[in-house]
């Protein structure tokens, strides 16, 4: 048969396949999300995320060292406080859980790049990502008692669960305050995940005013209201007590809206744009990559992790191969940065030549 062009010529052996590979992965592109909990001597497995743990500050070093040994030098901190209130004041408390973790990590692991999630949902008693409309203007004290805070049932009754809305503009001040507190404690980068309009501009202005001109912002610009977040909400105790987050997170039917969100955040000063979740939204990674000139991140979220672990435990899939394939799919779509609970495993696979 007379064929001049034979694509299979470049697939003949492993050396050649790697030589012509279009997508390459390096451990420096990986970020590991880590949950830090109040208390001491804590390393507790997350039931919905087998192999993932909540760590107290005094034990998080075990995981940070393990990551560094594997070649992963970047982490994203998520805090789990003991006390919560309607205004999420633990998020910006000087001695909050993330602030303590940052100071300790900076001392013990100066080579680790520390990124913080900037949101209110882990710190509010109602589980929403900001101050609720109609809630008191005064910020409750960080360690207010359960009695003084009141129950979630009372809050829901007062506001009406079907009409719960987050007050966008009042929340901006608290997000900016949180980002500044993280920078003061040692954060190398802040990552707002709340999806409030204008939060990147508010955070950038606050950081600059406090002298943190060189602290980058990685914006969760294209964050969809997704069922893939379920295990994370269990891990962080951040599920809404009533209502849902569809009034501020994006409708997963929409793609042009995601481009609008990304362009707005770049205009406001975002240094990196994130698409979340990853697996089912890689079309958005590609589209955002085409219209912006900033690095693109995607977050392989808890539901993706849990599905892979469950399938592997049942013997339905090859865990190692699925981890590699899903990671490469994100980079092939256009990711420059990949947040994943499999960061350590992927780094090892890169070292072993199984991926990369």
């Amino acid at each position: 048969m007379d064929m001049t062009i034979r694509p299979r010529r470049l697939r003949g052996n492993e050396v050649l396949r790697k030589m012509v590979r279009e997508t390459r992965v390096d451990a420096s592109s990986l970020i590991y999300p880590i949950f830090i909990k109040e208390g001491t001597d804590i390393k507790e497995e997350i039931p919905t995320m087998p192999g993932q743990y909540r760590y107290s500050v005094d034990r998080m070093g075990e995981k940070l060292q393990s990551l560094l040994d594997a070649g992963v030098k970047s982490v994203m901190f998520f805090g789990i406080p003991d006390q919560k209130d309607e205004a999420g004041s633990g998020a910006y408390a000087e001695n909050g859980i993330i602030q303590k973790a940052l100071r300790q990590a900076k001392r013990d692991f100066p080579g680790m790049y520390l990124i913080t999630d900037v949101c209110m949902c882990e710190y509010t008693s109602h589980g929403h990502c900001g101050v609720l409309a109609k809630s008191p203007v005064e910020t409750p004290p960080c360690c207010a008692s359960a009695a003084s805070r009141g129950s979630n049932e009372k809050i829901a009754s007062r506001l009406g669960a079907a009409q719960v809305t987050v007050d966008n503009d009042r929340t901006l001040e608290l997000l900016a305050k949180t980002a500044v507190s993280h920078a003061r404690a040692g954060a190398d980068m802040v990552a707002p995940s709340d999806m409030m309009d204008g939060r990147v501009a508010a955070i950038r202005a606050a950081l600059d005013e406090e002298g943190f001109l060189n602290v980058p912002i990685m914006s969760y610009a294209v964050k969809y209201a997704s069922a893939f977040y379920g295990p994370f909400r269990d891990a962080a105790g951040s599920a809404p007590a009533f209502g849902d987050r569809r009034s501020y997170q994006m409708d997963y039917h929409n793609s042009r809206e995601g481009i609008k969100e990304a362009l707005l955040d770049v205009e406001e000063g975002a240094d990196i744009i994130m698409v979340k979740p990853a697996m089912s939204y890689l079309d958005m990674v590609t589209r955002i990559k085409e219209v912006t000139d900033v690095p693109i991140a995607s977050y392989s979220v808890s539901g993706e992790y849990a599905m892979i672990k469950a399938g592997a435990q049942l013997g339905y899939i090859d865990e190692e191969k699925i981890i590699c394939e899903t990671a490469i799919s994100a980079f092939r779509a256009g990711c420059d940065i990949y947040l994943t609970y499999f960061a350590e495993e992927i780094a090892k696979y890169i070292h072993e030549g199984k991926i990369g």
Side-chain angles (χ1 to χ4, degrees):
M1 184 176 292
D2 185 16
M3 284 191 292
T4 302
I5 300 173
R6 292 178 179 265
R8 286 183 57 187
R9 290 191 190 109
L10 298 181
R11 304 172 193 157
N13 59 60
E14 185 67 10
V15 173
L16 181 57
R17 287 192 294 271
K18 286 188 175 181
M19 184 189 302
V20 300
R21 192 165 276 172
E22 298 175 19
T23 304
R24 300 179 187 272
V25 182
D26 186 88
S28 62
S29 301
L30 303 173
I31 299 173
Y32 178 75
I34 185 169
F35 299 97
I36 309 298
K37 183 176 182 177
E38 291 279 10
T40 57
D41 195 28
I42 296 171
K43 179 185 177 182
E44 57 185 24
E45 189 168 25
I46 300 165
T48 52
M49 299 177 68
Q52 298 301 308
Y53 298 84
R54 306 179 189 95
Y55 299 90
S56 53
V57 171
D58 61 317
R59 293 202 60 182
M60 69 179 180
E62 300 169 20
K63 184 62 178 179
L64 296 182
Q65 187 61 59
S66 182
L67 289 164
L68 281 173
D69 291 344
V72 178
K73 297 182 179 181
S74 301
V75 294
M76 172 90 78
F77 281 124
F78 293 91
I80 306 171
D82 276 344
Q83 303 279 347
K84 303 187 180 191
D85 56 46
E86 286 189 51
S89 57
Y92 45 86
E94 182 179 354
N95 206 35
I97 181 60
I98 290 301
Q99 290 78 358
K100 289 188 288 190
L102 285 166
R103 289 191 287 266
Q104 187 70 39
K106 272 297 176 187
R107 285 194 295 268
D108 296 346
F109 299 91
M112 184 73 79
Y113 194 82
L114 309 178
I115 308 166
T116 59
D117 177 75
V118 177
C119 194
M120 313 299 293
C121 62
E122 294 117 300
Y123 304 91
T124 55
S125 53
H126 45 73
H128 284 280
C129 298
V131 180
L132 296 183
K134 302 181 184 179
S135 63
V137 174
E138 295 79 11
T139 300
C142 176
C143 297
S145 67
S148 65
R149 290 197 310 271
S151 67
N152 286 326
E153 289 78 9
K154 290 180 180 178
I155 300 170
S157 175
R158 187 180 77 232
L159 297 175
Q163 299 179 24
V164 171
T165 57
V166 173
D167 190 320
N168 188 97
D169 294 4
R170 291 170 63 215
T171 299
L172 296 184
E173 180 182 352
L174 301 184
L175 293 169
K177 192 173 180 179
T178 299
V180 169
S181 76
H182 289 178
R184 285 176 178 157
D188 296 300
M189 178 186 292
V190 295
S193 63
D194 54 283
M195 288 299 287
M196 297 298 113
D197 293 338
R199 89 272 203 205
V200 171
I203 290 171
R204 184 73 271 158
L207 289 172
D208 290 355
E209 184 177 344
E210 293 296 320
F212 298 110
L213 286 76
N214 294 319
V215 172
I217 297 173
M218 176 164 61
S219 171
Y220 290 65
V222 189
K223 180 179 180 181
Y224 287 89
S226 171
F228 281 99
Y229 304 147
F232 175 93
R233 292 174 181 174
D234 172 52
S238 62
F242 44 83
D244 56 46
R245 295 175 179 155
R246 289 181 293 175
S247 67
Y248 42 102
Q249 294 179 357
M250 283 183 53
D251 183 343
Y252 60 75
H253 296 79
N254 299 348
S255 60
R256 287 181 299 168
E257 183 184 14
I259 293 174
K260 177 171 70 174
E261 288 278 11
L263 292 176
L264 281 170
D265 282 9
V266 170
E267 184 179 334
E268 291 180 13
D271 300 283
I272 300 170
I273 292 295
M274 186 195 297
V275 175
K276 182 183 179 185
M279 185 167 60
S280 294
Y281 298 86
L282 295 182
D283 61 314
M284 293 308 302
V285 171
T286 302
R287 295 195 67 180
I288 302 303
K289 185 82 168 184
E290 291 170 349
V291 299
T292 64
D293 58 2
V294 300
I296 307 299
S298 68
Y299 192 156
S300 182
V301 297
S302 59
E304 298 171 51
Y305 176 89
M307 288 165 60
I308 292 173
K309 295 299 286 190
Q313 287 173 357
L314 289 169
Y316 294 164
I317 59 172
D318 184 314
E319 180 175 325
E320 180 180 302
K321 290 181 179 178
I322 291 290
I323 291 170
C324 294
E325 188 173 337
T326 52
I328 287 297
S329 71
F331 287 99
R332 190 182 63 243
C335 280
D336 303 290
I337 300 164
Y338 191 50
L339 288 85
T340 172
Y341 300 96
F342 289 120
E344 187 171 343
E345 290 86 344
I346 293 170
K348 291 177 180 177
Y349 299 152
I350 292 170
H351 180 71
E352 294 167 359
K354 298 175 180 177
I355 185 176

Short mmCIF file of all heavy atoms in Angstrom, two decimals, residues 103-146:
data_model
loop_
_atom_site.label_atom_id
_atom_site.label_comp_id
_atom_site.label_asym_id
_atom_site.label_seq_id
_atom_site.Cartn_x
_atom_site.Cartn_y
_atom_site.Cartn_z
N ARG A 103 3.00 30.09 60.17
CA ARG A 103 4.20 30.47 60.93
C ARG A 103 5.07 29.25 61.24
O ARG A 103 6.30 29.31 61.13
CB ARG A 103 3.77 31.20 62.22
CG ARG A 103 3.21 32.60 61.97
CD ARG A 103 3.06 33.37 63.26
NE ARG A 103 1.95 32.90 64.05
CZ ARG A 103 0.71 33.41 64.01
NH1 ARG A 103 0.45 34.43 63.19
NH2 ARG A 103 -0.26 32.93 64.78
N GLN A 104 4.42 28.13 61.59
CA GLN A 104 5.18 26.92 61.89
C GLN A 104 5.86 26.36 60.63
O GLN A 104 7.03 25.98 60.67
CB GLN A 104 4.24 25.85 62.47
CG GLN A 104 4.95 24.61 62.99
CD GLN A 104 5.75 24.87 64.25
OE1 GLN A 104 5.30 25.62 65.12
NE2 GLN A 104 6.92 24.28 64.36
N ALA A 105 5.12 26.34 59.53
CA ALA A 105 5.69 25.80 58.29
C ALA A 105 6.84 26.66 57.78
O ALA A 105 7.83 26.14 57.26
CB ALA A 105 4.59 25.69 57.23
N LYS A 106 6.73 27.98 57.93
CA LYS A 106 7.81 28.87 57.50
C LYS A 106 9.08 28.61 58.30
O LYS A 106 10.19 28.67 57.77
CB LYS A 106 7.38 30.33 57.66
CG LYS A 106 6.67 30.92 56.47
CD LYS A 106 7.57 30.96 55.25
CE LYS A 106 6.83 31.46 54.03
NZ LYS A 106 7.64 31.34 52.81
N ARG A 107 8.91 28.32 59.59
CA ARG A 107 10.08 28.05 60.43
C ARG A 107 10.72 26.70 60.08
O ARG A 107 11.94 26.59 59.97
CB ARG A 107 9.69 28.06 61.91
CG ARG A 107 9.45 29.45 62.49
CD ARG A 107 9.41 29.38 64.01
NE ARG A 107 8.27 28.60 64.48
CZ ARG A 107 7.08 29.13 64.79
NH1 ARG A 107 6.87 30.44 64.66
NH2 ARG A 107 6.10 28.36 65.23
N ASP A 108 9.87 25.68 59.93
CA ASP A 108 10.38 24.31 59.79
C ASP A 108 10.69 23.90 58.35
O ASP A 108 11.52 23.02 58.11
CB ASP A 108 9.37 23.32 60.38
CG ASP A 108 9.18 23.51 61.88
OD1 ASP A 108 10.01 24.20 62.51
OD2 ASP A 108 8.20 22.96 62.42
N PHE A 109 10.01 24.53 57.39
CA PHE A 109 10.15 24.14 55.99
C PHE A 109 10.29 25.38 55.11
O PHE A 109 9.41 25.69 54.30
CB PHE A 109 8.95 23.30 55.54
CG PHE A 109 8.78 22.02 56.31
CD1 PHE A 109 7.99 21.98 57.46
CD2 PHE A 109 9.45 20.87 55.91
CE1 PHE A 109 7.85 20.80 58.18
CE2 PHE A 109 9.31 19.69 56.62
CZ PHE A 109 8.52 19.66 57.77
N PRO A 110 11.39 26.09 55.24
CA PRO A 110 11.56 27.34 54.49
C PRO A 110 11.58 27.14 52.97
O PRO A 110 11.34 28.08 52.22
CB PRO A 110 12.91 27.87 54.99
CG PRO A 110 13.62 26.68 55.55
CD PRO A 110 12.55 25.80 56.11
N GLY A 111 11.83 25.90 52.51
CA GLY A 111 11.85 25.64 51.08
C GLY A 111 10.49 25.31 50.50
O GLY A 111 10.36 25.15 49.28
N MET A 112 9.47 25.22 51.36
CA MET A 112 8.12 24.90 50.88
C MET A 112 7.40 26.18 50.49
O MET A 112 7.49 27.20 51.18
CB MET A 112 7.35 24.17 51.99
CG MET A 112 5.96 23.69 51.60
SD MET A 112 5.99 22.27 50.48
CE MET A 112 6.34 20.92 51.61
N TYR A 113 6.67 26.14 49.38
CA TYR A 113 5.89 27.28 48.91
C TYR A 113 4.48 27.16 49.47
O TYR A 113 3.77 26.18 49.20
CB TYR A 113 5.87 27.33 47.39
CG TYR A 113 5.38 28.65 46.83
CD1 TYR A 113 6.25 29.74 46.72
CD2 TYR A 113 4.07 28.81 46.41
CE1 TYR A 113 5.81 30.95 46.22
CE2 TYR A 113 3.62 30.02 45.90
CZ TYR A 113 4.50 31.09 45.80
OH TYR A 113 4.07 32.30 45.30
N LEU A 114 4.06 28.15 50.26
CA LEU A 114 2.83 28.07 51.03
C LEU A 114 1.72 28.92 50.41
O LEU A 114 1.86 30.14 50.30
CB LEU A 114 3.09 28.52 52.47
CG LEU A 114 4.27 27.84 53.17
CD1 LEU A 114 4.45 28.42 54.57
CD2 LEU A 114 4.12 26.33 53.20
N ILE A 115 0.64 28.28 50.03
CA ILE A 115 -0.52 28.94 49.43
C ILE A 115 -1.70 28.75 50.37
O ILE A 115 -1.83 27.69 51.00
CB ILE A 115 -0.83 28.33 48.05
CG1 ILE A 115 0.43 28.31 47.17
CG2 ILE A 115 -1.95 29.10 47.34
CD1 ILE A 115 0.29 27.44 45.93
N THR A 116 -2.55 29.75 50.48
CA THR A 116 -3.70 29.62 51.36
C THR A 116 -5.01 29.80 50.61
O THR A 116 -5.13 30.67 49.75
CB THR A 116 -3.65 30.65 52.51
OG1 THR A 116 -3.61 31.97 51.96
CG2 THR A 116 -2.44 30.42 53.38
N ASP A 117 -5.97 28.97 50.96
CA ASP A 117 -7.33 29.14 50.49
C ASP A 117 -7.95 30.30 51.26
O ASP A 117 -7.93 30.32 52.49
CB ASP A 117 -8.13 27.87 50.73
CG ASP A 117 -9.58 28.01 50.32
OD1 ASP A 117 -9.86 27.99 49.11
OD2 ASP A 117 -10.43 28.14 51.23
N VAL A 118 -8.47 31.29 50.54
CA VAL A 118 -9.12 32.45 51.18
C VAL A 118 -10.62 32.34 50.95
O VAL A 118 -11.12 32.58 49.85
CB VAL A 118 -8.58 33.77 50.62
CG1 VAL A 118 -9.31 34.96 51.24
CG2 VAL A 118 -7.08 33.90 50.89
N CYS A 119 -11.31 31.91 51.98
CA CYS A 119 -12.76 31.77 51.91
C CYS A 119 -13.28 31.78 53.34
O CYS A 119 -12.52 31.71 54.30
CB CYS A 119 -13.15 30.48 51.19
SG CYS A 119 -14.90 30.41 50.70
N MET A 120 -14.60 31.84 53.50
CA MET A 120 -15.18 31.91 54.83
C MET A 120 -15.90 30.63 55.22
O MET A 120 -16.25 30.44 56.38
CB MET A 120 -16.20 33.07 54.89
CG MET A 120 -15.72 34.40 54.32
SD MET A 120 -14.28 35.07 55.15
CE MET A 120 -14.96 35.45 56.75
N CYS A 121 -16.12 29.71 54.26
CA CYS A 121 -17.05 28.61 54.51
C CYS A 121 -16.60 27.69 55.64
O CYS A 121 -17.44 27.12 56.35
CB CYS A 121 -17.30 27.81 53.24
SG CYS A 121 -15.83 27.02 52.54
N GLU A 122 -15.28 27.51 55.82
CA GLU A 122 -14.82 26.64 56.91
C GLU A 122 -14.97 27.30 58.27
O GLU A 122 -14.85 26.64 59.30
CB GLU A 122 -13.35 26.26 56.72
CG GLU A 122 -13.08 25.39 55.51
CD GLU A 122 -12.19 26.09 54.51
OE1 GLU A 122 -12.59 27.16 54.01
OE2 GLU A 122 -11.09 25.57 54.23
N TYR A 123 -15.22 28.60 58.28
CA TYR A 123 -15.20 29.38 59.53
C TYR A 123 -16.56 29.92 59.94
O TYR A 123 -16.72 30.40 61.06
CB TYR A 123 -14.21 30.54 59.38
CG TYR A 123 -12.83 30.08 58.99
CD1 TYR A 123 -12.46 29.97 57.65
CD2 TYR A 123 -11.90 29.69 59.95
CE1 TYR A 123 -11.21 29.52 57.27
CE2 TYR A 123 -10.64 29.24 59.60
CZ TYR A 123 -10.31 29.14 58.25
OH TYR A 123 -9.07 28.68 57.88
N THR A 124 -17.54 29.89 59.03
CA THR A 124 -18.87 30.40 59.37
C THR A 124 -19.73 29.30 59.97
O THR A 124 -19.66 28.14 59.54
CB THR A 124 -19.58 30.98 58.12
OG1 THR A 124 -19.61 29.99 57.09
CG2 THR A 124 -18.86 32.22 57.62
N SER A 125 -20.54 29.66 60.94
CA SER A 125 -21.42 28.68 61.58
C SER A 125 -22.48 28.17 60.63
O SER A 125 -23.02 27.08 60.81
CB SER A 125 -22.07 29.30 62.81
OG SER A 125 -22.71 30.52 62.48
N HIS A 126 -22.79 28.94 59.59
CA HIS A 126 -23.81 28.53 58.61
C HIS A 126 -23.21 27.83 57.40
O HIS A 126 -23.94 27.29 56.57
CB HIS A 126 -24.63 29.74 58.16
CG HIS A 126 -23.80 30.95 57.84
ND1 HIS A 126 -23.02 31.04 56.71
CD2 HIS A 126 -23.62 32.11 58.53
CE1 HIS A 126 -22.41 32.20 56.70
NE2 HIS A 126 -22.74 32.88 57.79
N GLY A 127 -21.88 27.85 57.25
CA GLY A 127 -21.23 27.12 56.18
C GLY A 127 -21.22 27.80 54.83
O GLY A 127 -20.76 27.20 53.85
N HIS A 128 -21.70 29.03 54.75
CA HIS A 128 -21.65 29.75 53.48
C HIS A 128 -20.34 30.54 53.38
O HIS A 128 -19.63 30.74 54.37
CB HIS A 128 -22.88 30.64 53.32
CG HIS A 128 -24.10 29.86 52.94
ND1 HIS A 128 -24.35 29.45 51.66
CD2 HIS A 128 -25.13 29.39 53.71
CE1 HIS A 128 -25.48 28.77 51.63
NE2 HIS A 128 -25.98 28.71 52.86
N CYS A 129 -20.06 31.02 52.17
CA CYS A 129 -18.74 31.58 51.87
C CYS A 129 -18.63 33.08 52.15
O CYS A 129 -17.76 33.75 51.58
CB CYS A 129 -18.37 31.29 50.42
SG CYS A 129 -18.26 29.53 50.07
N GLY A 130 -19.49 33.60 52.99
CA GLY A 130 -19.43 35.01 53.34
C GLY A 130 -20.49 35.36 54.35
O GLY A 130 -21.18 34.49 54.90
N VAL A 131 -20.62 36.65 54.60
CA VAL A 131 -21.61 37.15 55.54
C VAL A 131 -23.00 37.06 54.92
O VAL A 131 -23.20 37.47 53.77
CB VAL A 131 -21.31 38.62 55.91
CG1 VAL A 131 -22.35 39.15 56.90
CG2 VAL A 131 -19.91 38.75 56.49
N LEU A 132 -23.95 36.51 55.64
CA LEU A 132 -25.29 36.38 55.10
C LEU A 132 -26.02 37.71 55.11
O LEU A 132 -25.85 38.52 56.02
CB LEU A 132 -26.10 35.36 55.90
CG LEU A 132 -25.59 33.92 55.87
CD1 LEU A 132 -26.54 33.02 56.64
CD2 LEU A 132 -25.41 33.42 54.44
N ALA A 133 -26.82 37.93 54.10
CA ALA A 133 -27.68 39.11 54.08
C ALA A 133 -28.59 39.07 55.30
O ALA A 133 -29.04 38.00 55.72
CB ALA A 133 -28.52 39.14 52.81
N LYS A 134 -28.82 40.25 55.90
CA LYS A 134 -29.68 40.43 57.08
C LYS A 134 -29.01 40.00 58.37
O LYS A 134 -29.59 40.15 59.44
CB LYS A 134 -31.01 39.67 56.93
CG LYS A 134 -31.83 40.07 55.72
CD LYS A 134 -33.13 39.27 55.69
CE LYS A 134 -33.93 39.57 54.43
NZ LYS A 134 -35.17 38.78 54.38
N SER A 135 -27.79 39.42 58.30
CA SER A 135 -27.13 39.04 59.54
C SER A 135 -26.56 40.29 60.19
O SER A 135 -26.37 41.31 59.54
CB SER A 135 -26.02 38.02 59.28
OG SER A 135 -25.02 38.57 58.47
N PRO A 136 -26.26 40.26 61.49
CA PRO A 136 -25.79 41.46 62.19
C PRO A 136 -24.53 42.04 61.54
O PRO A 136 -23.66 41.31 61.10
CB PRO A 136 -25.49 40.95 63.60
CG PRO A 136 -26.31 39.72 63.75
CD PRO A 136 -26.38 39.11 62.38
N VAL A 137 -24.44 43.36 61.52
CA VAL A 137 -23.27 44.03 60.96
C VAL A 137 -22.06 43.78 61.84
O VAL A 137 -20.94 43.61 61.35
CB VAL A 137 -23.52 45.54 60.82
CG1 VAL A 137 -22.25 46.25 60.38
CG2 VAL A 137 -24.65 45.80 59.83
N GLU A 138 -22.26 43.76 63.15
CA GLU A 138 -21.13 43.57 64.05
C GLU A 138 -20.51 42.20 63.85
O GLU A 138 -21.20 41.20 63.69
CB GLU A 138 -21.58 43.71 65.52
CG GLU A 138 -22.07 45.09 65.89
CD GLU A 138 -23.50 45.34 65.42
OE1 GLU A 138 -24.16 44.38 65.00
OE2 GLU A 138 -23.94 46.50 65.49
N THR A 139 -19.19 42.14 63.88
CA THR A 139 -18.48 40.88 63.76
C THR A 139 -18.40 40.22 65.12
O THR A 139 -17.85 40.80 66.05
CB THR A 139 -17.05 41.10 63.24
OG1 THR A 139 -17.13 41.73 61.96
CG2 THR A 139 -16.31 39.78 63.11
N PRO A 140 -18.95 39.00 65.27
CA PRO A 140 -18.87 38.33 66.57
C PRO A 140 -17.43 38.01 66.90
O PRO A 140 -16.60 37.85 66.01
CB PRO A 140 -19.67 37.03 66.33
CG PRO A 140 -20.47 37.27 65.10
CD PRO A 140 -19.66 38.23 64.28
N PRO A 141 -17.10 37.92 68.20
CA PRO A 141 -15.74 37.54 68.58
C PRO A 141 -15.40 36.15 68.06
O PRO A 141 -16.27 35.30 67.93
CB PRO A 141 -15.78 37.58 70.11
CG PRO A 141 -17.22 37.45 70.48
CD PRO A 141 -17.98 38.12 69.37
N CYS A 142 -14.11 35.95 67.79
CA CYS A 142 -13.67 34.70 67.16
C CYS A 142 -14.09 33.48 67.97
O CYS A 142 -14.49 32.48 67.41
CB CYS A 142 -12.16 34.72 66.98
SG CYS A 142 -11.48 33.19 66.32
N CYS A 143 -13.97 33.57 69.26
CA CYS A 143 -14.23 32.39 70.09
C CYS A 143 -15.54 32.51 70.85
O CYS A 143 -15.66 32.09 71.99
CB CYS A 143 -13.08 32.17 71.08
SG CYS A 143 -11.51 31.82 70.25
N ALA A 144 -16.54 33.11 70.22
CA ALA A 144 -17.85 33.25 70.86
C ALA A 144 -18.40 31.86 71.19
O ALA A 144 -18.17 30.90 70.48
CB ALA A 144 -18.80 33.98 69.92
N SER A 145 -19.14 31.80 72.27
CA SER A 145 -19.68 30.51 72.69
C SER A 145 -20.81 30.10 71.78
O SER A 145 -21.40 30.89 71.05
CB SER A 145 -20.22 30.62 74.12
OG SER A 145 -21.35 31.48 74.14
N ALA A 146 -21.15 28.80 71.83
CA ALA A 146 -22.24 28.29 71.01
C ALA A 146 -23.55 28.99 71.37
O ALA A 146 -24.37 29.28 70.50
CB ALA A 146 -22.37 26.77 71.21
#
